[in-house]
Amino acid sequence: MNKPAILALEDGSVFHGTAIGADGQTSGEVVFNTAMTGYQEILTDPSYSRQIVTLTYPHIGNTGINPEDVESDTIAAAGLVIRDLPLVASNFRSTQSLSEYLAGQNVVGIADIDTRRLTRILRDKGAQNGAILAGADAEGDAAEARALEAARAFPGLKGMDLAKVVSCTETYEWSQGEWTLGQGYADGESLERPFHVVAYDYGVKFNILRMLTSRGCRLTVVPAQTSAAEVLALNPDGIFLSNGPGDPEPCDYAIAAIKAILETDTPVFGICLGHQLLALASGASTLKMGHGHHGANHPVQDLDTGKVMITSQNHGFAADEATLPDNLRATHRSLFDGTLQGIERTDRPAFSFQGHPEASPGPRDVAPLFDRFIDMMQRRR
């Protein structure tokens, strides 16, 4: 824990700190997340591919790492930035420390920097391309110059199609249900699952699949580039469009597939990137946000009921409400910045939500959206 590390931003800002995790170099878009808990779920969220995550809560690593609280098989974030890594991790489920976890997956991180200063830069200037150098050679002017060069060489996420990069490569069945203290994850094989749902994997989080399973869904997960014809041939009761990283506009394969699916009466539910892709397939546009939404405390209003929900968010792109066609209506809006958070087709059984309603990490206010999807499939029957 005494190796140096450097974080450099494209605007020339440089931070010196302590290396945590692996030695080496990484680059990506630097964003900040305001969640106070859930660092393990954040790190393994595929939506963070090619992003360096700054956690604004100062003490990260207190509860160590356990094999259950993961949202994918590997760490998805390009790097981690924190203020303080506690020397002792304490939790009855912990099996290793955060630093050991990062090192074991060859992920670079930096601690002992002023994350408040960094967050202000990202808040005021927007998400920055950046780079971390960690290890014995991360000292001196030459190291700073290398870090700055790497930060400025990163092309940025605009125009970057990452869904097909993080997606599964083969179709598979999912049967794991939600987690219960003392019991672990439910075995979906023992549950009644009357609905067959095909889930597009653009970077899907495990807990999204678990919540669908626990609500009676038999899940077939397909790669991002699977055609609509292949999916419809499986005769699903509903189709799910998952979360994922990167810019939605280059995902022409997904947009084409969703357009074809929307020609049928099959219920469709999208989350995060899936929400943006549904908007694009319906004729709307998307845009790159300044610093995006990353956290577990984002207020979102249901425009139909007026109810305000506290939500978990992770996205740097958004559907542009000003471009919605006549057959697409807004259902939810962020109370932080007014950006569009939910849409619904008026001519098809299709809807989507920008946040992460499975709340991993975060509050569970929006979980009823999964129930709405189930109701749509039941009505179709």
Side-chain angles (χ1 to χ4, degrees), residues 131-170:
I132 300 174
L133 293 184
D137 60 349
E139 284 187 303
D141 294 340
E144 280 194 19
R146 288 200 311 275
L148 283 168
E149 182 182 6
R152 290 165 176 163
F154 183 71
L157 294 184
K158 179 68 175 175
M160 189 176 290
D161 176 3
L162 295 175
K164 63 186 180 184
V165 176
V166 301
S167 177
C168 60
T169 57
E170 296 181 350

Side-chain angles (χ1 to χ4, degrees), residues 9 83 105 174 179 191 221 242 257 301 335 367:
L9 304 181
R83 173 66 184 92
Q105 299 207 26
W174 179 277
W179 185 85
L191 302 175
V221 184
S242 85
Q301 186 171 40
L335 295 185

